[in-house]
Amino acid sequence: MSSKFKGKSADRPDITRAALDPEPSTVHSKMDLVSKTLFAPFNNKKKDTSRILTDLAPVIMTPRMMNAAATVSSRSRGSLGASASGGSRLDFATLGRAPMRLTLGSRRITSRDLQIVEATDELLDAEIPEAEGIASDVSLLRGFNATVPSSEKNRTRRKQMRNVETPRIGLKKLGMSARGMMMEDEEERSIASEEDVVVVSRLDERGKRKGKRRGRESLSAAKALGKDELRRQTQEILLDKENLHVRRSLINSEIVEINNKIKALDSIRERLEQDLLKLHEDELELDDELGGVQERIEFEEAAFRQSDNIKTAPVPHVAPSRRRRGPVFLPSEHDELPPGVAFMTLESHLTPITALDFSEPYGTLVSASQEDSQPRLWDLMTGSEIGRLRGHRGAVKCIQVEDNLCLTGAEDGSVRLWDLRLVDEDDWERDSLADVAEEDEGTAYDGELVEKPNGIRSSEPSEAGTADQTGPCIRLFEGHSKAVTALYFEDECLVTGASDKTLRQWDLATGQCVMTMDILWAISHPQPTIPGNGIPNHLFPSAVASAGHFAVPTPPSADGSWDMYEDFVGGVQFWGYGLVSGSGDGAVRMWDMRTGQAHRTLMGHTSPVTCLQFDEMHIASGSLDKSIRIWDVRTGGTFETLKYDHAVTALQFDTRKVIAATGENGVKIYNRTSMQHSSLSTNGHTQPVERIRYMDRYLVSGGRDAAVKIWTL
């Protein structure tokens, strides 16, 4: 017996070697054996988890898992050799779990890689971290499970289970013919309805019916699925519903993510639009700066020519400050001031400010107030009062300052031209008794007003239009019968408007009244208006157009105060031969200064016009109707309308902004590029603002609190 077993044990290694020896005599080659071993696990019956993992293999095989598999496969392969040398039986299971490394083509595969399939339960139970904001109630693996194509296989299988073998009835042909499509001729087939009860009739060769009409059985009656199949379908349907919930959650999360992206893109768009508006503002600023540089070039060239030939060269033309473009010269310390703050207050007036103007930033300011016939002269560099302009017999209503010249119009119906360089602080601080005594001791014509044929009064009969050879008032213009409420001068031309409802054009060089324009005549002879621009003339109150006294109550301001508005002419300005005026009938009229005729009337305001300004393209007018209208000079239509809560009493505009006094304590600023409103109130007025004037980044305002504020823009 021992020899018998000994012989068997001696023969066994030979059998093992024969199985592994790649000789031609072996039945199966080594490669066939390895192929069977590698593909053996995939020939078994798959479970649901195995099918899912098969679909998700590219996702599960992350670099980390591949490294782990490589680590496992790189272990010692001695177990295979030990089992072979130890005489253990070599079967497929042992070979499939052996860490044997083989090469198939260009890819190196190990049998350890197949252990991932065996660990599907552990992989499904593992928690996988998810990115924030993506279906927080659905795991990442569960989301893949619900969205992979294999999730539709159950539905397809159930659909196939419900298919019943029936005679061909030609549904495809019916569908093709219903859509107007043609198909190749086919054999005749019976057409039956999908109703549960139909009658299928056929004709035999003789044209007779084969049988009587009878109801056929339902298609579902001939199909028996069984309890196991129905339970399986129930589980599949529940799983499909769960998958639908997962997909819905994923889609909702994607919608939320898209909404967040849209919000982020909207914010980016808004920022880009703001940048675009800023670029547009910069472009407008550069245009103004270019215009200012060109004006400066013309001025310096004219000054250079005058210095070469003093007798023949003309005086250099300087554009008025209201039309001057581009940045102005400012002290370097001005950049250190915060924008939108009133950094200086001038307090000397006792009543509300009625008019103000200045020559340049940190230059000379002239301001006037109610019930005060002496406008005050200020040094804006130091904030101190230089002196007073004495000569008017009533409160000053309008002021314009250009360099060292100043024009003032007052309630006494006169206009005075002042040389601000001649103002002496000591002379104008004397009291009135000393002035009266000085006048009594003077010559016969000192202080006596002599009427001139041209409408100019002079205190010296030898000089027509000359007020005082030694004082700051160098010319006196009289001709209006009521208060002068608006004026504008440029070069040697002056235009004034008064409550006597007339406009007068003057020659500053000679002091002559060149032309008188009657607003009442223009009202009684209206010019054609642009259709749709506003209210016709005849709809305004008759008191406005009458020759009597003009007085309109102002709307209440922010503090509740109100007053009677008596200025029939709210503003005048000319450009070349074109003159624009705003009057108490709410009309903005355009006049031809060569003929004195109003050739266009812009109707739109429903209350008196209190202020206006215009350039080559647009006219801006403010009114007691709480609005500012910007008109297009070319078409006569309203280009833009700004609404406020209170009456507009003063305005000034350029290509980038509109600054206005609107019955509130703050100064209103409207950005014409971004169409945004803002207000200046830091260290500002304690009562509503009445008058404003700005140049570049320098603003002066006067209010009902009798204070004058200096602002930075």
Side-chain angles (χ1 to χ4, degrees):
M1 291 293 293
S2 60
S3 62
K4 182 179 180 180
F5 285 102
K6 185 176 181 180
K8 290 183 178 180
S9 61
D11 296 335
R12 186 172 297 170
D14 297 335
I15 297 174
T16 305
R17 277 192 218 96
L20 295 177
D21 190 10
E23 292 293 334
S25 60
T26 58
V27 179
H28 297 287
S29 66
K30 180 179 179 180
M31 293 303 298
D32 294 337
L33 180 61
V34 172
S35 299
K36 291 181 179 180
T37 304
L38 291 178
F39 292 101
F42 293 94
N43 294 331
N44 297 331
K45 184 178 181 181
K46 297 183 180 179
K47 296 182 180 179
D48 295 339
T49 55
S50 301
R51 184 173 64 257
I52 294 173
L53 267 297
T54 303
D55 295 331
L56 298 180
V59 180
I60 297 176
M61 294 299 291
T62 59
R64 183 177 180 181
M65 292 184 178
M66 294 297 294
N67 293 335
T71 304
V72 173
S73 62
S74 62
R75 294 175 183 174
S76 174
R77 293 178 292 175
S79 58
L80 181 60
S83 60
S85 60
S88 60
R89 183 181 178 183
L90 183 63
D91 54 3
F92 288 106
T94 303
L95 185 59
R97 289 172 175 79
M100 183 172 55
R101 189 182 302 271
L102 301 174
T103 301
L104 297 177
S106 61
R107 181 182 178 186
R108 188 168 57 185
I109 302 175
T110 63
S111 59
R112 288 291 184 181
D113 297 340
L114 303 180
Q115 290 184 351
I116 297 175
V117 179
E118 300 178 358
T120 53
D121 296 335
E122 298 177 3
L123 291 175
L124 290 175
D125 295 336
E127 295 183 359
I128 301 176
E130 304 175 14
E132 295 182 359
I134 301 179
S136 58
D137 58 340
V138 179
S139 65
L140 182 60
L141 190 59
R142 188 67 185 87
F144 281 123
N145 187 18
T147 55
V148 292
S150 62
S151 60
E152 298 291 334
K153 292 182 179 179
N154 293 334
R155 180 177 297 181
T156 304
R157 192 190 66 82
R158 294 194 304 272
K159 183 178 180 181
Q160 293 176 353
M161 291 292 295
R162 290 191 294 270
N163 290 339
V164 180
E165 294 293 336
T166 58
R168 193 170 183 82
I169 55 180
L171 295 179
K172 181 178 179 180
K173 184 176 182 180
L174 286 177
M176 298 285 287
S177 61
R179 291 181 293 171
M181 302 176 65
M182 299 185 64
M183 59 183 300
E184 298 179 358
D185 293 334
E186 296 181 355
E187 296 179 359
E188 247 184 71
R189 300 179 181 88
S190 62
I191 301 177
S193 174
E194 291 185 2
E195 299 289 341
D196 287 341
V197 178
V198 296
V199 176
V200 180
S201 60
R202 292 188 180 182
L203 296 177
D204 55 6
E205 296 177 355
R206 299 177 181 179
K208 297 181 179 180
R209 298 183 182 272
K210 286 186 176 181
K212 298 180 179 179
R213 177 183 296 181
R214 60 185 179 87
R216 65 172 177 80
E217 295 182 354
S218 174
L219 296 178
S220 61
K223 191 77 171 182
L225 300 178
K227 292 183 179 181
D228 294 338
E229 178 62 26
L230 293 176
R231 291 194 190 97
R232 180 179 178 182
Q233 291 188 8
T234 301
Q235 294 177 358
E236 291 178 353
I237 292 173
L238 294 176
L239 181 61
D240 290 344
K241 291 184 65 176
E242 185 179 355
N243 290 340
L244 291 178
H245 172 72
V246 172
R247 292 182 182 178
R248 186 182 296 111
S249 300
L250 293 175
I251 293 175
N252 289 332
S253 65
E254 289 182 4
I255 292 175
V256 172
E257 186 177 358
I258 291 174
N259 290 334
N260 294 334
K261 291 181 179 179
I262 291 175
K263 291 180 180 179
L265 292 175
D266 288 339
S267 63
I268 295 174
R269 179 189 179 90
E270 292 178 359
R271 186 172 68 252
L272 293 177
E273 288 177 349
Q274 293 297 327
D275 295 341
L276 198 60
L277 293 177
K278 183 63 171 58
L279 292 177
H280 184 53
E281 292 182 3
D282 294 342
E283 183 181 8
L284 295 176
E285 184 177 359
L286 290 176
D287 291 339
D288 293 340
E289 187 175 359
L290 180 60
V293 171
Q294 293 174 350
E295 292 176 359
R296 188 68 183 180
I297 291 174
E298 295 176 359
F299 172 78
E300 293 187 359
E301 288 179 350
F304 179 75
R305 290 193 299 267
Q306 186 182 21
S307 62
D308 291 345
N309 192 350
I310 300 178
K311 295 182 179 180
T312 59
V315 178
H317 170 72
V318 179
S321 59
R322 285 174 172 80
R323 285 175 45 191
R324 203 169 298 162
R325 303 175 63 184
V328 297
F329 294 94
L330 295 170
S332 57
E333 295 182 30
H334 186 82
D335 295 333
E336 300 176 2
L337 293 171
V341 176
F343 63 92
M344 184 182 295
T345 303
L346 308 180
E347 296 178 340
S348 177
H349 295 281
L350 302 177
T351 53
I353 305 298
T354 57
L356 58 83
D357 196 8
F358 60 93
S359 59
E360 63 180 1
Y362 298 96
T364 303
L365 168 70
V366 180
S367 60
S369 60
Q370 291 180 3
E371 302 175 1
D372 189 357
S373 61
Q374 302 176 12
R376 285 161 170 76
L377 186 64
W378 306 84
D379 183 358
L380 293 177
M381 187 68 72
T382 61
S384 59
E385 182 179 348
I386 299 175
R388 301 186 182 184
L389 305 180
R390 299 188 59 181
H392 285 291
R393 299 184 301 275
V396 175
K397 306 286 290 184
C398 51
I399 297 174
Q400 182 177 350
V401 178
E402 297 293 342
D403 293 333
N404 296 315
L405 295 179
C406 174
L407 272 166
T408 57
E411 290 182 345
D412 58 4
S414 66
V415 178
R416 288 179 178 264
L417 177 63
W418 310 82
D419 189 345
L420 301 180
R421 295 171 296 184
L422 303 178
V423 176
D424 189 350
E425 183 177 0
D426 295 334
D427 292 341
W428 299 107
E429 285 182 350
R430 300 172 184 175
D431 54 24
S432 59
L433 294 177
D435 292 338
V436 172
E438 196 174 19
E439 289 177 1
D440 293 339
E441 296 175 359
T443 59
Y445 58 83
D446 262 348
E448 182 182 357
L449 297 177
V450 181
E451 187 71 27
K452 298 294 179 181
N454 58 7
I456 302 177
R457 284 185 175 183
S458 175
S459 58
E460 292 188 14
S462 60
E463 292 290 339
T466 302
D468 191 351
Q469 290 290 341
T470 59
C473 181
I474 59 178
R475 199 172 297 279
L476 175 64
F477 305 89
E478 289 195 335
H480 289 290
S481 59
K482 291 187 178 181
V484 178
T485 58
L487 62 84
Y488 181 81
F489 81 94
E490 182 178 337
D491 294 337
E492 300 298 328
C493 183
L494 165 66
V495 175
T496 58
S499 294
D500 59 3
K501 302 177 180 62
T502 62
L503 304 175
R504 286 178 179 263
Q505 180 182 349
W506 308 81
D507 188 343
L508 285 179
T510 62
Q512 298 291 328
C513 179
V514 178
M515 185 179 297
T516 300
M517 291 160 276
D518 193 348
I519 300 178
L520 289 180
W521 189 90
I523 293 176
S524 61
H525 298 79
Q527 298 294 324
T529 58
I530 304 300
N533 276 348
I535 302 175
N537 288 346
H538 65 274
L539 296 182
F540 285 94
S542 58
V544 173
S546 66
H549 180 68
F550 172 76
V552 176
T554 62
S557 300
D559 60 352
S561 62
W562 64 280
D563 201 353
M564 294 299 295
Y565 183 77
E566 301 178 355
D567 301 343
F568 187 79
V569 179
V572 293
Q573 185 181 347
F574 62 85
W575 193 300
Y577 293 108
L579 171 66
V580 176
S581 67
S583 52
D585 61 346
V588 177
R589 289 182 174 83
M590 303 179 67
W591 306 75
D592 189 344
M593 296 177 63
R594 295 168 294 188
T595 62
Q597 300 295 321
H599 61 84
R600 180 180 291 182
T601 302
L602 307 178
M603 306 300 299
H605 289 294
T606 58
S607 293
V609 177
T610 59
C611 50
L612 63 82
Q613 180 192 349
F614 88 103
D615 54 18
E616 301 97 330
M617 305 297 293
H618 299 99
I619 300 173
S621 59
S623 171
L624 294 182
D625 62 2
K626 309 176 184 180
S627 70
I628 293 178
R629 288 179 176 265
I630 301 178
W631 311 81
D632 192 331
V633 177
R634 298 163 296 182
T635 63
T638 302
F639 178 76
E640 197 169 6
T641 302
L642 309 179
K643 297 289 186 178
Y644 295 96
D645 297 331
H646 308 283
V648 180
T649 57
L651 67 84
Q652 188 177 347
F653 82 102
D654 55 28
T655 57
R656 291 170 289 165
K657 58 184 176 295
V658 178
I659 300 182
T662 60
E664 299 181 6
N665 297 353
V667 179
K668 295 294 184 179
I669 300 179
Y670 172 72
N671 191 316
R672 298 180 65 183
T673 304
S674 62
M675 295 182 290
Q676 294 179 349
H677 293 267
S678 60
S679 179
L680 302 180
S681 58
T682 305
N683 194 31
H685 294 275
T686 58
Q687 293 185 24
V689 180
E690 287 290 328
R691 297 291 182 266
I692 58 100
R693 178 81 168 91
Y694 79 89
M695 289 186 188
D696 195 17
R697 296 177 293 154
Y698 191 88
L699 170 69
V700 178
S701 64
R704 294 185 184 179
D705 54 1
V708 177
K709 298 281 186 178
I710 316 298
W711 305 77
T712 57
L713 295 178

